[in-house]
Amino acid sequence: MIGLTLQTYIFKSLLRTFLGFVLGIAALALLVDFTELSNRTGSLPDYSAGAALLISAMRVPFILQVAIPFVMLFSTMATLIQLNRKYELVVARSAGVSAWQFLLPTWVAALAIGLFCVVVLNPLAAVGFSAAQASEGLWKGANPGGLFADSDPWLRQDREGGGSIIIGADRVAGGTVTLFNAVFLEIEPDGTAGVRHDARRAELRDMTWILTDVTTSSAGERPVNQNRVTLATTLDESVIREALVPPEMVPFFSLARQIEAARSFGVPASPFRMQYHSLLALPALLVAMALIAATVSLRFVRFGQSAGMILGGIAAGFVLYVLTALAKSFGSAGAIPPVVAAWLPVLSGGLFGAAWLLHREDG
């Protein structure tokens, strides 16, 4: 009974600490992003402080998703160090409670937080970031300039009757495939440049690009402004998403469908497979971070943990995060299987933490 009460107490303490870190990082991210967005768009005619604040708020879940592993590391370290300073872990050890018993709630909390991030935070981050990109794109679309030279991303599609169309955009929103400050350059069958369409916005609907606020130009003719232009496309939406939409902007529950669609059209799906397996491995990554935090936080020191121990834990967590990011890059490029790239660093970090604790506690 004492063990269950203690575990519940540690579980709640960790969740409170984690929530405090999350709120602090969210407030800081909102402030920094709002300031940076205001500097970029403050001179645009459609700018307003309220709308800019809303756009920054929509991007906060995406930023939090990136920071969650470090938040787990810091909150676990802070919780265990605080329990040590209050002699609570010392009393628990003297009562016969093993380290594995009072570390169990930290792993349960890490798993629960990881599942919440995958099921709730990731879809919210993807939808919010896409909406933020779309809103900012509408603002910037009022001031086109130098569109094709700096267009990124871009793709090429074939035209019926020969030739092709090169498509570029300054900004992409992933909910419905929407391009902002888009360029559609038609290439004739003989390889010469034909008509060019500069559109403030281009949206993909039913195998058709719908361009709005368009300037159409061709060699030897004056540019013509049009409210709306439609261009047929032979590319499936999944293929266009593969080329234009970053995997991070696709919600978790849509990734499997996106992967299957890409495979059916013979398009490499490695980036989306990598994102899918990275999200599946996220709860295990948070558990590994909790294990690493425990390796430097359980030792009782009368006057608190040394700075060297704390920095060592932070460094170990940072190394695990860097290895995970590097493996993700290799997996997205198809250099190694995505499932291996997602799980190998996580399992290695978890086994390292477990081995260290076994050596310290039971060795």
Side-chain angles (χ1 to χ4, degrees), residues 40-219:
R40 288 201 320 265
T41 61
S43 60
L44 299 181
D46 294 334
Y47 172 85
S48 69
L53 188 63
L54 179 60
I55 290 175
S56 295
M58 289 189 291
R59 275 201 279 255
V60 167
F62 188 86
I63 299 171
L64 285 178
Q65 182 180 237
V66 177
I68 283 297
F70 281 110
V71 176
M72 192 71 235
L73 176 71
F74 294 147
S75 58
T76 304
M77 290 177 61
T79 300
L80 294 177
I81 289 174
Q82 188 66 20
L83 292 173
N84 249 335
R85 286 180 175 176
K86 293 180 177 179
Y87 297 91
E88 289 168 314
L89 294 187
V90 178
V91 174
R93 286 174 182 270
S94 65
V97 179
S98 70
W100 303 104
Q101 287 178 288
F102 56 72
L103 284 179
L104 179 61
T106 66
W107 306 333
V108 174
L111 279 174
I113 292 169
L115 291 174
F116 176 83
C117 291
V118 173
V119 175
V120 178
L121 182 61
N122 172 259
L124 183 63
V127 173
F129 193 82
S130 294
Q133 292 289 89
S135 298
E136 188 177 349
L138 288 175
W139 284 356
K140 290 189 172 183
N143 293 280
L147 299 180
F148 189 68
D150 298 324
S151 292
D152 184 29
W154 58 271
L155 59 82
R156 178 190 294 265
Q157 73 173 52
D158 294 330
R159 285 195 306 169
E160 295 182 1
S164 60
I165 300 178
I166 297 177
I167 304 171
D170 280 352
R171 192 170 293 271
V172 179
T176 57
V177 179
T178 305
L179 313 180
F180 298 94
N181 283 353
V183 174
F184 289 73
L185 179 60
E186 299 183 15
I187 305 297
E188 302 298 335
D190 60 2
T192 60
V195 179
R196 167 175 167 159
H197 305 281
D198 292 82
R200 180 180 181 185
R201 176 172 177 167
E203 186 174 352
L204 180 65
R205 295 181 187 173
D206 300 326
M207 305 291 287
T208 302
W209 287 106
I210 300 175
L211 283 60
T212 56
D213 195 2
V214 188
T215 300
T216 302
S217 56
S218 57

